Amino acid sequence: MQEALALLSVENLSVGFLQDAEIRTALHGISFRVNRGEIVAVVGESGSGKSVSSLSILQLLPPKTTRYLNGKIAFTPSGNKEALNLLEASGTKLRSIRGKEIAMIFQEPMSALNPVFTCGNQVMEAIRTHTGVSAKDARLKTLDLFRKVQLPEPELVLKKYPHQLSGGQKQRVMIAMALACEPSLLIADEPTTALDVTVQKNILELLTNIQEQTKMGMLFITHDLGLVRDFAHRVIVLYNGRIVEEGNCDEIFVNPKHPYTNALLACRPILYEKGQKLPVVDDFLNKHSGEEFENPADNLPAKKDPTLIWDAAPLITIRSLSVWYPKKRRFFGQPTEFTKAVDNINLNIFKGETLGIVGESGCGKTSFGRALLQLIPIQKGSIRISGVELTELSKRNLRLYRKEMQLVFQDPYGSLNPRIPIGETIRETLQVHHPDLSPSLQKERVMDLLRKVHLLPEHYHRYPHAFSGGQRQRIGIARALALNPDFVVFDESVSALDVSVQAQVLNLINELKAEFGFTALFITHDLGVVKYISDRILVMEKGRIAELGTTSQVINNPNSLVTKHLLDAIPGRSEIFAK
C-alpha cells in the first residue's frame, strides 16, 4: 500500500504511569501504522502493552497518572489531506473523533454497556450525538445495524437491557454501536475473549465482512496469536511494551523469528496430547541463544488406563436431570413457560476420570455443573454420588456433604473476598468443615496447599488484588482442594487467561489430579482445552446431550452436527489437525 493511504501512524510512542512519585514505563518507543482497508492485529499477553497502545490512540487513559513521554499519534480523518496529532488535539476535537472517526469495541461488553438503559437507546444515543438525526431516523438505523450484525429478533433486542442478552449478543450490540457512525478506524480490544468458538467465528466473519464493505482500517487486539491467522493482513507482536516482531501472517506463522512469537504459537493446548506437559513462555525466553527449543513433553506420573476407569462402578449417577428457568409469568408471578436449560440428562461419571463438557453459549453447561453440586434448584431428577442421593439430603446434611464436592469458578477475582487475605480465605473452608483442627494445623495445611499450587508462603497474608489472574486462579484451585474432595467442577476456569498462563494452570490441574486423585468435570467453550484435558467429552446442545464419547472419538469422528460446527470453528483447524 502507498504511503498516502496511511490512516493511522504511531511513531516512537512511549507511555508511562505515575506510581509513588515515579514513572513506570509501559510502552517503549513503539511504531506502527494502519492503512485504509487493512486489518492489523496486535498480539501479546496481559501486561505487554496492547490495551495501553489502543487506549492511547483515543486518549482514554487516566489523565492524572498517564504520561506521554515521547512520540506521535498521527490520524487522518475522512476528507482531510493532513494528519492530526491526537496527542496534541483539544478535548473538543477528540470528542468529535471518538465514536465517529475512530470507534472502539471494548473487551467486556457487560462493563461497557450501561445496565440501566436498553440496548436500543444506547446505540441511538451514539447516532444522534454524532449525526444530529431525529429519534425516528436513529431508531430505524439502529434496527438496520442490529440486522447487519445478525442479532435475532432485532425489534425485541432494541427494548432489552444488557443483562437480558447472552455474551455473544452483547458483543454484537457493541459492534453495532461502534459501526453506527461508519468510522474510518475500528479498534477491537479482545472482542471475542471468553466467547465460544462458534460465536467467535461468527463475530470475526462479521467484522471482516463489514470491514471489506466499508474499507475502514481495523486494529485488532488479542492475546491469541492463532486467532488472527485467517483474517489479519499484518501482525504486530508486543512483549513488555516493545514490538519484538512484525510482518504479514505468512511470515509470522511460517517463520517466526522471535522466541516470544514461537512461544505464543507453541503454548496452545490443542497441539498436545493428554498428559503431555505444556510448554510456557519462559521455556522459550530462557533458552540460550541459538539453541533449538525442545518441547518439554515429559509425561506426568503414570495414570490409570481410562478403559479401566470406565469398567469400575460410577462415582456419580445422574438420571432424568432437568433444570428449568421461568420464561414467562402470569400477573402474580406464576410461571407459564420455561426455558429448559438442562433437559432430561442421563449420565455416569467414573471415579478418577476427567469429563469435559463443551457446547455453545446457552447450551446448559454451567447449569448442569451447578445442578450436580446442588447450587441451583432442579426441576426433577436423581443425582447420586458414592451411593448418596443428593436431592434427598436435608440442608444440614447437604452442607456436611459439600466437602466431598467443590467448584473452581470462572472469575477468580469475583469469587475471592477482596477484604480477606488469601491464606485466611483458604483456611476458612477448614474452619467450617474441620473445626477440630487447631489453628496452627489449619495454617500449616494452607501453607502446604500454597506450595502445591506454586505460590509462596509469604503470599498467605496478601490480598486478592495483589495477584495476577493466573495466580488468583491457582488460589481458587487451592481453596477447592483444601478439603481433599472426591469431585471438582472447573467452570470455564481457564477461558479468559493468556495462552502461557492457561498452560501453567492446565499443567497444575494435571499435577494435582495425579496427586489427589479427584474426579473432574471440566466445563469450557474451548475445544482445544477440552481435547487436551479430558478422558471423555460430552457435547451439549439446548440442554441435551448431543454427543458423548472418548476424546479421540469426538475429536476425530464427530457424529453430531453441533460437534462438527464446533470443530470447524477452531482457528487454524486445518493446520492443527494436519499435524
Side-chain angles (χ1 to χ4, degrees):
M1 295 188 181
Q2 298 178 359
E3 189 76 22
L5 296 176
L7 177 64
L8 176 76
S9 179
V10 176
E11 302 172 12
N12 199 29
L13 179 65
S14 296
V15 180
F17 295 97
L18 189 63
Q19 289 184 348
D20 300 324
E22 293 185 0
I23 295 177
R24 181 181 65 84
T25 305
L27 290 180
H28 302 267
I30 68 169
S31 299
F32 65 89
R33 53 190 286 127
V34 181
N35 299 304
R36 296 183 190 277
E38 182 183 36
I39 301 175
V40 177
V42 179
V43 183
E45 295 182 288
S46 295
S48 63
K50 308 186 305 294
S51 292
V52 172
S53 60
S54 63
L55 293 171
S56 295
I57 294 168
L58 285 172
Q59 301 287 278
L60 293 177
L61 294 169
K64 289 185 179 180
T65 56
T66 305
R67 300 291 183 269
Y68 294 97
L69 307 174
N70 189 44
K72 177 180 179 183
I73 302 175
F75 174 69
T76 308
S78 300
N80 286 32
K81 294 183 180 180
E82 294 185 4
L84 170 70
N85 186 359
L86 297 179
L87 294 179
E88 298 174 352
S90 65
T92 303
K93 186 65 177 176
L94 285 171
R95 283 191 293 273
S96 70
I97 289 175
R98 292 175 186 146
K100 181 172 174 59
E101 291 288 343
I102 305 177
M104 188 163 186
I105 304 170
F106 293 92
Q107 178 173 354
E108 179 45 66
M110 194 63 218
S111 300
L113 293 171
N114 193 322
V116 301
F117 289 101
T118 64
C119 296
N121 276 337
Q122 295 184 62
V123 179
M124 287 188 280
E125 180 188 22
I127 294 171
R128 297 194 70 190
T129 298
H130 290 289
T131 64
V133 300
S134 67
K136 181 180 179 181
D137 288 341
R139 185 180 185 278
L140 290 173
K141 184 163 185 178
T142 300
L143 280 172
D144 183 54
L145 285 165
F146 282 0
R147 292 187 188 99
K148 281 184 178 178
V149 298
Q150 300 169 23
L151 276 165
E153 301 177 307
E155 291 83 2
L156 292 179
V157 175
L158 203 71
K159 301 173 184 177
K160 287 186 176 181
Y161 291 87
H163 74 272
Q164 296 176 300
L165 304 180
S166 69
Q169 289 172 337
K170 285 194 286 278
Q171 197 62 277
R172 289 169 190 267
V173 171
M174 283 292 301
I175 293 171
M177 189 184 301
L179 299 174
C181 298
E182 300 176 4
S184 302
L185 175 66
L186 178 65
I187 303 172
D189 188 4
E190 300 269 17
T192 60
T193 296
L195 298 179
D196 67 64
V197 287
T198 53
V199 175
Q200 173 180 273
K201 181 182 179 183
N202 290 339
I203 286 178
L204 292 179
E205 288 177 349
L206 172 67
L207 288 173
T208 303
N209 290 338
I210 292 173
Q211 186 271 338
E212 288 175 352
Q213 292 170 14
T214 60
K215 302 302 179 185
M216 66 181 174
M218 188 190 303
L219 192 65
F220 190 93
I221 314 292
T222 182
H223 66 259
D224 187 351
L225 184 54
L227 183 68
V228 301
R229 175 163 196 175
D230 296 331
F231 78 99
H233 298 121
R234 285 189 297 115
V235 178
I236 295 167
V237 182
L238 268 180
Y239 177 64
N240 280 347
R242 293 179 170 86
I243 294 176
V244 296
E245 190 159 1
E246 181 177 1
N248 62 47
C249 281
D250 287 340
E251 293 171 348
I252 296 294
F253 283 88
V254 176
N255 187 29
K257 294 181 172 58
H258 196 275
Y260 184 66
T261 312
N262 275 287
L264 292 179
L265 287 170
C267 290
R268 293 172 290 170
I270 198 170
L271 300 174
Y272 302 92
E273 297 299 323
K274 179 174 170 59
Q276 199 173 15
K277 189 173 181 181
L278 298 174
V280 297
V281 167
D282 286 347
D283 293 325
F284 290 80
L285 298 182
N286 294 337
K287 68 171 187 161
H288 298 296
S289 177
E291 177 188 342
E292 287 296 321
F293 173 75
E294 293 184 5
N295 176 41
D298 48 331
N299 287 328
L300 295 161
K303 301 178 293 300
K304 293 181 181 178
D305 184 342
T307 57
L308 298 178
I309 293 175
W310 301 324
D311 286 340
L315 174 71
I316 304 172
T317 304
I318 302 150
R319 295 292 179 265
S320 304
L321 182 63
S322 296
V323 178
W324 297 0
Y325 298 118
K327 187 176 181 181
K328 290 185 179 179
R329 297 178 183 269
R330 293 194 180 96
F331 183 76
F332 291 104
Q334 184 73 17
T336 58
E337 289 185 29
F338 293 89
T339 298
K340 296 182 179 181
V342 180
D343 189 13
N344 201 40
I345 282 186
N346 296 289
L347 179 69
N348 291 331
I349 302 176
F350 296 88
K351 185 173 179 60
E353 82 165 327
T354 300
L355 175 65
I357 297 188
V358 67
E360 298 179 349
S361 296
C363 71
K365 304 187 300 291
T366 295
S367 293
F368 177 70
R370 298 198 174 199
L372 292 189
L373 301 179
Q374 293 290 278
L375 295 176
I376 57 174
I378 67 172
Q379 189 77 11
K380 63 174 183 176
S382 167
I383 304 168
R384 299 181 73 87
I385 299 183
S386 300
V388 176
E389 179 58 57
L390 296 186
T391 61
E392 296 177 357
L393 292 178
S394 65
K395 287 186 177 180
R396 182 178 180 277
N397 288 335
L398 181 60
R399 183 183 181 190
L400 293 173
Y401 202 77
R402 288 203 181 280
K403 63 184 178 182
E404 305 297 335
M405 47 189 189
Q406 291 291 305
L407 173 65
V408 180
F409 294 89
Q410 177 175 0
D411 178 8
Y413 190 74
S415 64
L416 297 173
N417 191 325
R419 299 184 179 184
I420 300 178
I422 61 102
E424 291 300 310
T425 294
I426 299 171
R427 193 167 79 89
E428 184 180 29
T429 62
L430 296 172
Q431 289 175 310
V432 171
H433 291 283
H434 292 292
D436 53 310
L437 289 178
S438 66
S440 61
L441 285 176
Q442 290 174 357
K443 187 171 182 178
E444 184 179 329
R445 168 73 172 155
V446 173
M447 291 293 191
D448 183 53
L449 281 166
L450 290 177
R451 283 190 288 270
K452 279 181 166 55
V453 299
H454 304 165
L455 293 173
L456 301 174
E458 53 262 36
H459 289 153
Y460 184 101
H461 299 287
R462 293 186 187 176
Y463 291 85
H465 73 269
F467 296 91
S468 68
Q471 288 174 322
R472 287 197 288 264
Q473 199 58 278
R474 292 185 212 172
I475 294 163
I477 293 171
R479 180 174 60 180
L481 297 180
L483 301 170
N484 197 14
D486 289 333
F487 179 53
V488 182
V489 176
F490 295 87
D491 187 7
E492 297 278 14
S493 302
V494 297
S495 62
L497 300 179
D498 296 331
V499 286
S500 183
V501 178
Q502 185 184 79
Q504 292 171 17
V505 173
L506 290 173
N507 285 338
L508 174 64
I509 291 172
N510 275 333
E511 291 168 11
L512 294 173
K513 191 171 184 301
E515 179 175 348
F516 288 90
F518 56 82
T519 301
L521 185 71
F522 205 94
I523 299 169
T524 180
H525 65 263
D526 189 336
L527 269 173
V529 170
V530 84
K531 171 185 175 291
Y532 169 75
I533 200 76
S534 303
D535 297 305
R536 287 191 299 160
I537 296 176
L538 185 156
V539 182
M540 287 190 69
E541 181 184 24
K542 296 180 180 178
R544 289 181 171 268
I545 297 176
E547 187 164 355
L548 174 64
T550 67
T551 299
S552 176
Q553 289 170 349
V554 173
I555 295 295
N556 298 320
N557 298 294
N559 292 321
S560 71
L561 192 59
V562 65
T563 309
K564 292 174 183 177
H565 285 163
L566 289 169
L567 288 168
D568 288 341
I570 296 175
R573 179 184 185 277
S574 57
E575 176 213 1
I576 291 168
F577 286 94
K579 292 184 177 181

